[in-house]
CSV table of all heavy atoms in Angstrom, one decimal:
chain,number,residue,atom,x,y,z
A,7,LEU,N,-6.6,25.3,9.6
A,7,LEU,CA,-5.7,25.3,10.8
A,7,LEU,C,-5.5,23.9,11.4
A,7,LEU,O,-4.3,23.6,11.7
A,7,LEU,CB,-6.2,26.3,11.9
A,7,LEU,CG,-6.1,27.7,11.6
A,7,LEU,CD1,-6.8,28.5,12.7
A,7,LEU,CD2,-4.7,28.2,11.5
A,8,VAL,N,-6.5,23.2,11.4
A,8,VAL,CA,-6.4,21.8,11.9
A,8,VAL,C,-5.5,21.0,11.0
A,8,VAL,O,-4.6,20.2,11.4
A,8,VAL,CB,-7.8,21.1,12.0
A,8,VAL,CG1,-7.6,19.6,12.2
A,8,VAL,CG2,-8.5,21.8,13.1
A,9,THR,N,-5.6,21.2,9.7
A,9,THR,CA,-4.8,20.5,8.7
A,9,THR,C,-3.4,20.9,8.8
A,9,THR,O,-2.4,20.1,8.7
A,9,THR,CB,-5.3,20.7,7.3
A,9,THR,OG1,-6.7,20.3,7.2
A,9,THR,CG2,-4.6,19.9,6.3
A,10,THR,N,-3.1,22.2,9.0
A,10,THR,CA,-1.8,22.8,9.0
A,10,THR,C,-1.0,22.4,10.2
A,10,THR,O,0.1,22.0,10.1
A,10,THR,CB,-1.8,24.3,8.9
A,10,THR,OG1,-2.6,24.7,7.7
A,10,THR,CG2,-0.5,24.9,8.8
A,11,PHE,N,-1.7,22.3,11.3
A,11,PHE,CA,-1.0,22.1,12.6
A,11,PHE,C,-1.1,20.6,13.0
A,11,PHE,O,-0.6,20.3,14.1
A,11,PHE,CB,-1.5,23.0,13.7
A,11,PHE,CG,-1.2,24.4,13.5
A,11,PHE,CD1,-2.2,25.4,13.2
A,11,PHE,CD2,0.1,24.8,13.5
A,11,PHE,CE1,-1.9,26.7,13.0
A,11,PHE,CE2,0.4,26.2,13.3
A,11,PHE,CZ,-0.6,27.1,13.0
A,12,ALA,N,-1.6,19.8,12.2
A,12,ALA,CA,-1.6,18.4,12.5
A,12,ALA,C,-0.2,17.8,12.5
A,12,ALA,O,0.5,18.1,11.5
A,12,ALA,CB,-2.5,17.6,11.6
A,13,ARG,N,0.2,17.1,13.5
A,13,ARG,CA,1.6,16.6,13.5
A,13,ARG,C,1.6,15.3,12.7
A,13,ARG,O,0.6,14.6,12.5
A,13,ARG,CB,2.0,16.3,14.9
A,13,ARG,CG,1.3,15.3,15.6
A,13,ARG,CD,1.9,15.1,17.1
A,13,ARG,NE,1.2,14.0,17.7
A,13,ARG,CZ,1.7,12.8,17.7
A,13,ARG,NH1,2.8,12.5,17.1
A,13,ARG,NH2,1.1,11.8,18.3
A,14,THR,N,2.8,14.9,12.2
A,14,THR,CA,3.0,13.7,11.5
A,14,THR,C,2.7,12.5,12.5
A,14,THR,O,3.3,12.5,13.6
A,14,THR,CB,4.4,13.6,11.0
A,14,THR,OG1,4.7,14.7,10.2
A,14,THR,CG2,4.6,12.3,10.2
A,15,PRO,N,1.9,11.6,12.1
A,15,PRO,CA,1.5,10.5,13.0
A,15,PRO,C,2.6,9.7,13.5
A,15,PRO,O,2.7,9.3,14.7
A,15,PRO,CB,0.5,9.7,12.3
A,15,PRO,CG,0.4,10.2,10.9
A,15,PRO,CD,1.2,11.4,10.8
A,16,LEU,N,3.5,9.3,12.6
A,16,LEU,CA,4.7,8.5,13.1
A,16,LEU,C,5.8,8.6,12.0
A,16,LEU,O,5.5,8.9,10.9
A,16,LEU,CB,4.3,7.1,13.3
A,16,LEU,CG,4.1,6.1,12.1
A,16,LEU,CD1,4.7,4.8,12.6
A,16,LEU,CD2,2.7,5.9,11.7
A,17,GLU,N,6.9,8.2,12.5
A,17,GLU,CA,8.1,8.2,11.6
A,17,GLU,C,8.3,6.8,11.1
A,17,GLU,O,7.9,5.9,11.7
A,17,GLU,CB,9.3,8.8,12.3
A,17,GLU,CG,9.2,10.2,12.7
A,17,GLU,CD,10.4,10.8,13.4
A,17,GLU,OE1,11.4,10.0,13.5
A,17,GLU,OE2,10.3,11.9,13.9
A,80,LEU,N,-1.7,3.4,9.7
A,80,LEU,CA,-2.4,4.5,10.5
A,80,LEU,C,-3.3,3.9,11.5
A,80,LEU,O,-3.5,4.4,12.6
A,80,LEU,CB,-3.1,5.4,9.5
A,80,LEU,CG,-2.2,6.2,8.6
A,80,LEU,CD1,-3.1,7.0,7.6
A,80,LEU,CD2,-1.4,7.2,9.4
A,83,HIS,N,-1.3,2.7,14.4
A,83,HIS,CA,-0.8,3.8,15.2
A,83,HIS,C,-1.9,4.5,16.0
A,83,HIS,O,-1.7,4.8,17.2
A,83,HIS,CB,-0.2,4.9,14.2
A,83,HIS,CG,0.3,6.1,14.9
A,83,HIS,ND1,1.4,6.1,15.7
A,83,HIS,CD2,-0.2,7.4,15.0
A,83,HIS,CE1,1.6,7.3,16.2
A,83,HIS,NE2,0.7,8.1,15.8
A,84,ASN,N,-3.1,4.6,15.5
A,84,ASN,CA,-4.2,5.2,16.2
A,84,ASN,C,-4.6,4.3,17.4
A,84,ASN,O,-5.1,4.8,18.4
A,84,ASN,CB,-5.4,5.5,15.3
A,84,ASN,CG,-5.2,6.7,14.5
A,84,ASN,OD1,-4.4,7.6,14.8
A,84,ASN,ND2,-5.8,6.7,13.3
A,88,LEU,N,1.8,1.0,17.4
A,88,LEU,CA,3.0,1.4,16.8
A,88,LEU,C,3.6,2.6,17.5
A,88,LEU,O,3.0,3.5,17.8
A,88,LEU,CB,2.8,1.7,15.3
A,88,LEU,CG,2.6,0.6,14.3
A,88,LEU,CD1,2.4,1.1,12.9
A,88,LEU,CD2,3.8,-0.4,14.3
Side-chain angles (χ1 to χ4, degrees):
L7 286 174
V8 168
T9 306
T10 304
F11 292 114
R13 65 181 186 91
T14 304
L16 81 140
E17 294 180 8
L80 290 174
H83 179 71
N84 284 335
L88 285 180

